[in-house]
């Protein structure tokens, strides 16, 4: 079944979206609401589909019957469906996910319409394509995973959408465009596309464009390969919209979008003697406004800010951000938990946010010696570090995101929990993204982890946490209070309820 | 500090002795914790070799942890020599400490003396003569292990051809070399259960491998450094 037909099937169903706006008017959500004042509701839960199609909430039986033939139930999900990256585009109209199987699925926001005002805010599948395939490196006899590590959108400059997607070794630029017209009336070809014998042509006509069913097609426009020896962990589009960078464990390369056979190495921390290797690059990002500035984080909990105008190879940082170690908390795991898994500039460009294993930190670019804010994500794990080291969970790489106004930050945790911190009110909330606890239209209930002593009724004890259910990837709409949370193969979209 | 060559006593005696020596950690469980963490880390590093494409960040962090423990143990001077009669108890130290290690701190303090169970009869046989913790002179023993650890890192960087798969090098890191090395290790090993028992368990979760015989681990180290 064609993708667009399935799209229509979904939107044409009688399934009532779990949209909580009582009056049906467009939700004038502003980012100023913050996380404490609003309440979060589930908009929709999407399973990344193998075949085309979309999935409904389990509550509606009609659509379930319709969709059963080609939807994949949560319980049959394979490892290839595990979502590995989530990213809104610059307007928030599109939401892209990448998965372990190398696929990219793009969701589009339901447009406002007079008839179905209540459906606004839902996201439906817009395009699905296979971005990367598994490869085999014959020289090293190693497999190259097709898992999509990161997706980054380019700002829209024409009718088509462009995004970068990367696996461990290769970055690709994809063009996603719509086609709703088709040329008819060629002179040299007949209606079936076969070439006509020129001798039979007696008249000339001008081909005309006739409407056709909407088709969304994705084409790879550039392939940027063979520039990384180690695994790519980050890509970042520069504010000049002409260049972007890709970072692996030891090197960062600068690319021009137009040139695929060449890239400039701008950071190289590989020691001459690999025995001396003690630190790797974990994440990197360009400044949102200054196209010469970027930051990269390390496994030792440091952030370096570099200026590309200073030298061609940015081996010497312009700024060096590191918090002095707390001697009272010192343990053999101190370094591991200080390793930064994600770094993000604020939209304003004034701050950077870093995520290490137990905390999220906000740094002012003008102050290098310590962060200005530190938020505890799940400090109750501090006494469990040994077990988490044993089962490798201590190496999990959580991401973190800013909301559109930089007033709220969000990051994931275990047991399908995710946390939001309001920087202004200093309030925080823990929410859960799970099938069992998310009824449509209901307000998400804040969750609480009980550390010791008596456990209250709705609390969950630390020992009952499910460490296989981790929220590593989340995204926040650029201007509204809409968030996307990836839990294994499920994509949850939540919205702040209008008061 | 203990004089070199001093036999290591049972843990109860050691604990009393520890209490009397300034500068050493008071609770023996800390030493056991640390040793167990070291063992676990070494196993994890070796498991890295088995992976198709080892995660470099993870490997670096684990290696740094190992170095850190090693430095601290060197500073403490706690490279103890294990006397032959105590050798049989050493693996049990590991067994116990792994459990203790992963319990909460409060429980560990409650444990206090950290009692050792009697040696289980099913324990894999020791290999005292090849173990650095064995009958050799204390100096050799201690230096030998230190050297082994350094050598692991060196071999990991593919200094010697045909050595175990390097950890950090981007030079040809063939998976087949690893197979060959493992096979070679099995074939070349002196009689004993050490490696053949180890290789299949390498795929097992680290916790169970941690519980494997200390002798197997040391034996593996021996083979890695090609002594």
């Amino acid at each position: 079944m064609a993708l667009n037909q399935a799209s229509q099937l979904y939107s044409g169903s009688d399934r009532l979206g779990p949209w909580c706006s009582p009056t049906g008017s467009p939700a004038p959500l502003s980012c100023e609401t913050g996380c404490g004042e609003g309440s979060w509701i589930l908009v929709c839960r999407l399973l990344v589909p193998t075949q085309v199609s979309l999935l409904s909430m389990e509550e509606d039986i009609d659509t379930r019957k319709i969709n059963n033939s080609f939807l994949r139930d949560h319980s049959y999900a394979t490892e290839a469906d595990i979502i590995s990256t989530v990213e809104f585009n610059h307007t928030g109209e599109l939401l892209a996910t990448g998965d372990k199987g190398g696929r990219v699925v793009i969701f589009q926001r339901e447009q406002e319409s007079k008839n179905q005002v209540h459906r606004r805010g839902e996201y439906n599948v817009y395009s699905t394509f296979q971005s990367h395939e598994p490869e085999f490196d014959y020289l090293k006899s190693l497999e190259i995973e097709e898992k999509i590590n990161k997706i980054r959108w380019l700002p829209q400059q024409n009718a088509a959408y462009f995004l970068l997607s990367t696996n461990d070794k290769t970055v690709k630029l994809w063009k996603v465009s719509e086609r709703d017209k088709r040329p008819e009336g060629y002179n040299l070809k007949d209606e079936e596309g076969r070439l006509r014998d020129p001798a039979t042509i007696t008249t000339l006509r001008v081909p005309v464009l006739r409407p056709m069913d909407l088709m969304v097609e994705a084409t790879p426009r550039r392939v940027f390969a063979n520039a990384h020896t180690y695994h790519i962990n980050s890509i970042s589009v520069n504010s000049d919209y002409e260049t972007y960078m890709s970072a692996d464990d030891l090197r960062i390369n600068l690319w021009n979008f137009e040139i695929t056979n060449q890239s400039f190495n701008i950071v190289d921390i590989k020691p001459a003697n690999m025995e001396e290797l003690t630190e790797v690059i974990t994440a990197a990002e360009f400044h949102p406004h200054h196209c010469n500035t970027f930051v990269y984080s390390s496994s030792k909990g440091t952030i370096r800010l570099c200026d590309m105008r200073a030298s061609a190879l940015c081996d010497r940082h312009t700024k060096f951000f590191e918090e002095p170690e707390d001697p009272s908390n010192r343990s053999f795991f101190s370094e591991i938990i200080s390793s930064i898994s994600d770094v993000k500039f604020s939209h304003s460009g004034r701050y950077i946010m870093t995520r290490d294993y137990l905390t999220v930190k906000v740094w002012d670019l003008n102050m290098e010696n310590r962060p200005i804010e530190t938020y505890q994500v799940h400090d109750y794990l501090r006494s469990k570090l040994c077990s988490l080291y044993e089962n490798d969970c201590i190496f999990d790489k959580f991401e973190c995101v800013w909301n559109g106004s930089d007033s709220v930050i969000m990051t994931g945790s275990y047991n399908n929990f995710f946390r939001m911190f309001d920087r202004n009110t200093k309030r925080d909330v823990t929410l859960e993204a799970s099938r069992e606890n998310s009824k449509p239209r209901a307000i998400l209930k804040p969750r609480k982890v009980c550390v010791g002593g008596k456990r209250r009724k709705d609390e969950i004890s630390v020992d009952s946490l499910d460490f296989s259910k981790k929220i590593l990837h989340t995204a926040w709409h650029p201007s509204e209070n809409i968030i996307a949370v990836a839990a294994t193969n499920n994509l949850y979209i939540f919205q702040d309820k209008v008061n | 500090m203990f004089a070199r060559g001093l036999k290591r006593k049972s843990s109860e005696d050691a604990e009393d002795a520890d209490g009397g020596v300034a500068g050493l950690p008071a609770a023996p469980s800390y030493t056991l914790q640390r040793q167990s963490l070291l063992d676990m880390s070494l196993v994890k590093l070796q498991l890295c070799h088995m992976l198709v494409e080892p995660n470099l960040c993870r490997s670096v962090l684990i290696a740094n942890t190992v170095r850190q423990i090693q430095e601290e143990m060197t500073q403490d001077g706690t490279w103890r020599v294990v006397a032959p009669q105590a050798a049989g108890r050493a693996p049990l130290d590991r067994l116990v400490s792994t459990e203790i290690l992963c319990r909460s701190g409060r429980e560990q303090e409650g444990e206090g003396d950290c009692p050792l169970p009697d040696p289980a009869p099913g324990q894999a046989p020791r290999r005292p003569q090849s173990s650095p913790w064995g009958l050799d002179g204390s100096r050799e023993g201690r230096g030998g292990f230190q050297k082994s650890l350094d050598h692991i890192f060196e071999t990991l960087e593919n200094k010697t051809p045909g050595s175990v798969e390097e950890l950090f090098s981007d030079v040809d890191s063939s998976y087949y070399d690893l197979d060959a090395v493992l096979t070679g290790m099995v074939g070349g090993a002196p009689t004993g259960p050490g490696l053949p028992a180890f290789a299949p368990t390498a795929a097992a979760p680290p916790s169970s491998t941690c519980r494997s015989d200390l002798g197997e681990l040391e034996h593996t180290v021996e083979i890695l450094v090609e002594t």
Side-chain angles (χ1 to χ4, degrees):
Chain A
M1 178 181 260
L3 179 63
N4 52 316
Q5 288 175 357
S7 227
Q8 288 164 9
L9 182 69
Y10 180 71
S11 50
S13 75
D14 285 337
R15 182 185 73 76
L16 294 174
W19 180 245
C20 247
S21 178
T23 62
S25 58
L29 297 170
S30 92
C31 303
E32 308 309 318
T33 329
C35 73
E37 289 121 41
S39 316
W40 292 88
I41 55 141
L42 174 65
V43 174
C44 46
R45 178 181 69 92
L46 304 157
L47 282 179
V48 179
T50 33
Q51 299 301 315
V52 281
S53 197
L54 311 156
L55 308 138
S56 65
M57 300 299 295
E58 57 273 31
E59 278 71 20
D60 191 322
I61 299 170
D62 287 335
T63 44
R64 192 184 197 174
K65 270 194 267 181
I66 296 166
N67 286 329
N68 254 347
S69 51
F70 36 75
L71 71 76
R72 280 165 67 103
D73 197 344
H74 160 90
S75 53
Y76 300 129
T78 64
E79 203 175 301
D81 295 333
I82 295 175
I83 299 172
S84 50
T85 183
V86 189
E87 187 83 354
F88 280 100
N89 76 337
H90 293 263
T91 60
E93 182 207 350
L94 298 180
L95 176 64
T97 62
D99 66 24
K100 248 187 132 181
R103 259 179 332 165
V104 171
V105 181
I106 301 177
F107 300 90
Q108 186 185 42
R109 191 168 184 188
E110 184 87 20
Q111 297 306 316
E112 238 181 280
S113 80
K114 278 189 293 236
N115 303 329
Q116 295 180 318
V117 164
H118 62 283
R119 299 185 62 83
R120 183 176 176 272
E122 292 171 19
Y123 282 79
N124 306 320
V125 174
Y126 178 68
S127 174
T128 303
F129 56 92
Q130 187 73 31
S131 172
H132 286 71
E133 299 277 2
E135 286 171 46
F136 195 77
D137 183 338
Y138 291 96
L139 279 179
K140 294 187 184 180
S141 296
L142 293 171
E143 242 193 46
I144 299 172
E145 276 193 316
E146 67 275 29
K147 173 169 76 89
I148 307 295
N149 292 336
K150 283 288 184 326
I151 288 173
R152 290 288 182 264
W153 291 92
L154 269 67
Q156 198 172 1
Q157 289 172 313
N158 52 37
Y161 304 103
F162 287 89
L163 61 81
L164 286 175
S165 74
T166 185
N167 68 348
D168 283 338
K169 297 286 186 178
T170 304
V171 185
K172 292 187 184 179
L173 176 69
W174 286 87
K175 176 181 176 183
V176 182
S177 50
E178 293 180 7
R179 190 184 293 193
D180 62 354
K181 295 185 192 38
R182 174 180 64 213
E184 282 179 21
Y186 283 112
N187 291 297
L188 296 177
K189 285 189 283 191
D190 63 17
E191 295 308 313
E192 278 81 49
R194 289 185 301 244
L195 288 172
R196 289 167 69 188
D197 179 5
T200 63
I201 300 173
T202 52
T203 59
L204 286 179
R205 56 187 174 168
V206 177
V208 293
L209 291 174
R210 299 222 183 278
M212 59 179 256
D213 287 340
L214 178 67
M215 196 169 77
V216 181
E217 51 184 13
T219 47
R221 302 298 290 177
R222 304 272 187 276
V223 177
F224 305 92
N226 303 321
H228 286 280
T229 310
Y230 304 98
H231 291 179
I232 297 174
N233 53 54
S234 311
I235 46 175
S236 178
V237 178
N238 206 349
S239 52
D240 62 9
Y241 304 155
E242 285 181 5
T243 56
Y244 76 94
M245 70 156 133
S246 55
D248 67 28
D249 294 315
L250 297 179
R251 299 193 178 99
I252 302 180
N253 294 332
L254 181 73
W255 301 84
N256 183 301
F257 280 112
E258 300 303 319
I259 301 169
T260 60
N261 60 357
Q262 208 178 58
S263 73
F264 291 101
N265 177 243
I266 53 177
V267 174
D268 188 341
I269 65 167
K270 181 177 179 224
N273 191 351
M274 280 297 272
E275 281 174 36
E276 293 159 10
L277 179 67
T278 57
E279 191 173 12
V280 300
I281 297 170
T282 53
E285 196 181 48
F286 268 118
H287 191 282
H289 311 310
H290 305 308
C291 57
N292 54 286
T293 305
F294 65 93
V295 293
Y296 68 92
S297 59
S298 83
S299 56
K300 287 199 171 172
T302 66
I303 307 106
R304 288 171 177 81
L305 183 139
C306 299
D307 187 332
M308 293 196 292
R309 297 170 301 189
S311 68
L313 185 63
C314 299
D315 269 355
R316 300 215 312 226
H317 49 261
T318 306
K319 293 195 188 216
F320 182 75
F321 299 84
E322 186 179 31
E323 184 173 22
E325 199 180 359
D326 178 6
S328 64
N329 266 336
R330 180 118 185 85
S331 75
F332 285 117
F333 305 109
S334 292
E335 185 184 313
I336 298 179
I337 63 169
S338 75
S339 173
I340 293 174
S341 51
D342 195 16
V343 65
K344 292 266 171 50
F345 271 101
S346 64
H347 292 91
S348 62
R350 249 201 83 179
Y351 305 103
I352 48 176
M353 167 168 56
T354 59
R355 175 70 155 98
D356 52 60
Y357 191 62
L358 297 179
T359 72
V360 183
K361 295 181 171 141
V362 177
W363 306 74
D364 187 317
L365 282 190
N366 299 317
M367 188 161 76
E368 299 169 54
N369 58 350
R370 60 180 174 81
I372 56 170
E373 295 154 30
T374 301
Y375 301 95
Q376 301 294 332
V377 181
H378 38 216
D379 200 56
Y380 44 80
L381 296 183
R382 199 176 284 274
S383 56
K384 309 277 176 193
L385 290 179
C386 178
S387 309
L388 295 165
Y389 180 70
E390 194 175 14
N391 64 17
D392 266 10
C393 279
I394 207 173
F395 301 108
D396 286 336
K397 293 191 188 304
F398 293 93
E399 292 171 9
C400 53
V401 291
W402 298 88
N403 75 336
S405 63
D406 299 337
S407 59
V408 183
I409 58 183
M410 173 170 69
T411 188
S413 178
Y414 294 104
N415 209 72
N416 282 344
F417 288 170
F418 58 99
R419 305 260 285 138
M420 288 185 200
F421 302 92
D422 189 319
R423 297 178 60 215
N424 300 324
T425 65
K426 301 301 177 196
R427 281 150 71 176
D428 63 83
V429 67
T430 306
L431 300 171
E432 183 177 355
S434 79
R435 268 179 116 200
E436 292 76 26
N437 297 321
S438 300
K439 301 236 178 299
R441 305 177 120 175
I443 296 173
L444 281 184
K445 199 171 55 174
R447 308 283 294 165
K448 193 147 163 51
V449 176
C450 148
V451 188
K454 250 169 84 172
R455 185 178 77 87
R456 292 206 190 88
K457 196 182 87 158
D458 287 332
E459 290 181 356
I460 179 167
S461 72
V462 181
D463 298 314
S464 311
L465 294 174
D466 188 343
F467 289 94
S468 68
K469 294 186 179 163
K470 45 194 97 173
I471 307 271
L472 302 174
H473 313 288
T474 60
W476 203 306
H477 189 287
S479 53
E480 295 183 37
N481 277 352
I482 302 173
I483 57 175
V485 177
T488 323
N489 65 319
N490 291 274
L491 183 70
Y492 291 85
I493 300 183
F494 299 102
Q495 184 150 13
D496 195 4
K497 179 176 161 236
V498 184
N499 290 329
Chain B
M1 288 303 181
F2 289 112
R4 289 177 178 168
L6 185 71
K7 287 180 188 173
R8 183 176 179 185
K9 301 176 182 173
S10 69
S11 77
E12 289 78 20
D13 295 338
E15 187 200 332
D16 293 0
D18 275 342
V21 179
L24 282 178
S29 62
Y30 176 81
T31 323
L32 291 171
Q33 271 180 51
R34 186 171 60 184
Q35 185 63 51
S36 184
L37 184 59
L38 177 64
D39 294 343
M40 199 197 302
S41 304
L42 288 174
V43 167
K44 278 183 181 297
L45 280 177
Q46 291 173 35
L47 281 177
C48 286
H49 302 164
M50 317 280 179
L51 293 176
V52 176
E53 272 261 54
N55 182 331
L56 188 61
C57 181
R58 177 178 173 273
S59 306
V60 167
L61 290 173
I62 298 171
N64 288 352
T65 308
V66 169
R67 282 198 193 101
Q68 202 186 327
I69 297 173
Q70 185 195 354
E71 276 168 24
E72 191 179 293
M73 288 176 87
T74 311
Q75 278 169 15
D76 283 349
T78 48
W79 287 118
R80 299 275 185 83
V81 177
V82 178
Q85 43 270 50
R89 310 193 67 140
L92 295 173
D93 290 350
R94 287 358 176 224
L95 274 173
V96 172
S97 65
T98 308
E99 288 170 359
I100 291 179
L101 181 63
C102 293
R103 281 189 226 140
S104 70
R106 234 179 258 162
E107 288 176 25
Q108 282 168 13
E109 283 161 37
E111 288 283 340
D113 294 342
C114 161
L116 288 177
D118 291 329
Q123 202 63 27
R126 303 274 304 126
R127 301 182 40 74
Q129 55 267 39
S130 62
S131 167
W133 297 87
L135 303 169
D136 309 326
S138 59
R139 268 190 212 112
E140 271 175 26
R142 175 161 58 190
F145 187 75
Q146 179 81 31
K147 187 179 145 215
S148 303
L149 194 60
D150 286 343
H151 207 129
I152 286 179
F153 289 121
E154 285 175 13
T155 13
L156 295 180
E157 273 78 59
N158 201 25
K159 267 190 169 180
T160 52
S163 64
V164 77
E165 177 164 343
E166 59 286 273
L167 192 61
F168 303 138
S169 173
D170 58 348
V171 176
D172 189 352
S173 53
S174 167
Y175 195 59
Y176 294 102
D177 278 350
L178 178 62
D179 280 344
V181 169
L182 283 179
T183 318
M185 286 157 79
V186 171
T191 55
L195 194 62
F198 182 75
T201 61
S207 51
S208 58
T209 332
C210 277
R211 292 189 162 85
S212 68
D213 189 8
L214 168 69
E216 292 176 11
L217 190 61
E218 299 303 346
H219 182 65
T220 309
V221 167
E222 288 260 298
I223 301 224
L224 289 176
V225 305
E226 295 170 14
T227 53

